[in-house]
Amino acid sequence: AQSVSQHNHHVILSEAASLELGCNYSYGGTVNLFWYVQYPGQHLQLLLKYFSGDPLVKGIKGFEAEFIKSKFSFNLRKPSVQWSDTAEYFCAVNPSLGGTASKLTFGTGTRLQVTL
Amino acid sequence: KAGVTQTPRYLIKTRGQQVTLSCSPISGHRSVSWYQQTPGQGLQFLFEYFSETQRNKGNFPGRFSGRQFSNSRSEMNVSTLELGDSALYLCASSLGGSGGRSSEQFFGPGTRLTVL
């Protein structure tokens, strides 16, 4: 069974600080990787995704993530956070092939608080 | 293109009752997945419907069931409600293919169910 670990449960940063949120997954095959964000009172939105190709992917709002296959990691980064980035961030994976591709497995989430 | 819609947005029920939640996917999407989000367990996959058939199932008791109609709209039913069923129930739609972009899921705002 696949699993996803997010090591940082709660992160507090000042505006303009750099961000890196860790995500590691466990799965024996090829996966698709996603980062979702949930702003307070809003629904889950897709930040970025990796299917194949260039392991460095760029998403919305200045976020990027790097897929390191050998480490089973897909860490999220942003060079300079803003107060509006305060939200909960979820890493998720699903198998690339086969009938279970729609079964997303989520990490436990990281609550990011950005202070002014 | 309209997003995923879920009705109702909020529900209050008492133990022992049953509840039906509805989800309308993005036009053209044939797969609908349901997730339960709680503070303790995070986001957990319930089941997925594709072309009116349940294609994948998570580890939830049989009290949780669903169905999908020919227009891809889906309903989820929970019978004999328990206090622990209080959660945010999220619906996500996708094209439903096995790889890459066709497995990318778009989430609705959720239905907040409170069981008293």
Side-chain angles (χ1 to χ4, degrees):
Chain A
Q2 60 211 45
S3 64
V4 178
S5 297
Q6 291 182 244
H7 314 296
N8 316 102
H9 297 293
H10 189 192
V11 173
I12 302 174
L13 294 173
S14 300
E15 260 203 336
S18 64
L19 169 73
E20 180 159 3
L21 301 182
C23 172
N24 287 90
Y25 69 93
S26 172
Y27 183 67
T30 309
V31 295
N32 300 313
L33 297 148
F34 306 86
W35 275 97
Y36 284 88
V37 60
Q38 192 170 35
Y39 297 103
Q42 296 188 29
H43 61 280
L44 276 170
Q45 300 173 39
L46 184 66
L47 263 184
L48 46 75
K49 62 217 175 195
Y50 173 80
F51 300 131
S52 63
D54 188 344
L56 184 63
V57 293
K58 296 190 184 298
I60 60 171
K61 305 186 181 187
F63 286 91
E64 65 178 31
E66 185 176 13
F67 170 50
I68 302 179
K69 190 175 181 180
S70 61
K71 294 185 178 180
F72 297 90
S73 69
F74 190 55
N75 292 353
L76 181 70
R77 298 196 291 250
K78 186 171 184 178
S80 175
V81 295
Q82 300 174 304
W83 179 79
S84 58
D85 293 326
T86 295
E88 191 148 17
Y89 292 81
F90 295 92
C91 181
V93 303
N94 66 5
S96 290
L97 301 172
T100 57
S102 292
K103 183 178 178 179
L104 272 176
T105 299
F106 283 88
T108 51
T110 297
R111 187 175 301 276
L112 172 65
Q113 184 179 347
V114 180
T115 60
L116 296 170
Chain B
K1 196 184 259 191
V4 178
T5 58
Q6 292 186 245
T7 56
R9 294 293 309 278
Y10 301 92
L11 266 178
I12 300 176
K13 293 286 187 179
T14 56
R15 278 183 301 174
Q17 287 187 308
Q18 75 165 15
V19 67
T20 299
L21 313 181
S22 181
C23 172
S24 293
I26 291 170
S27 177
H29 284 190
R30 296 169 63 193
S31 168
V32 173
S33 298
W34 289 88
Y35 295 83
Q36 182 195 66
Q37 185 177 22
T38 60
Q41 300 297 318
L43 280 149
Q44 293 186 286
F45 174 80
L46 280 155
F47 33 65
E48 180 225 358
Y49 283 85
F50 179 78
S51 293
E52 302 179 64
T53 301
Q54 187 180 84
R55 186 164 67 169
N56 288 292
K57 189 177 187 308
N59 297 323
F60 279 81
R63 299 185 297 106
F64 292 82
S65 63
R67 59 177 176 169
Q68 187 180 34
F69 302 95
S70 58
N71 62 357
S72 294
R73 190 177 69 84
S74 177
E75 288 182 345
M76 187 190 97
N77 184 274
V78 188
S79 62
T80 320
L81 284 166
E82 300 177 0
L83 295 178
D85 297 333
S86 293
L88 181 66
Y89 289 89
L90 295 170
C91 164
S93 77
S94 72
L95 292 170
S98 62
R101 298 188 186 285
S102 58
S103 71
E104 183 179 337
Q105 294 188 31
F106 298 84
F107 284 81
T111 294
R112 173 80 58 188
L113 172 65
T114 302
V115 181
L116 302 175

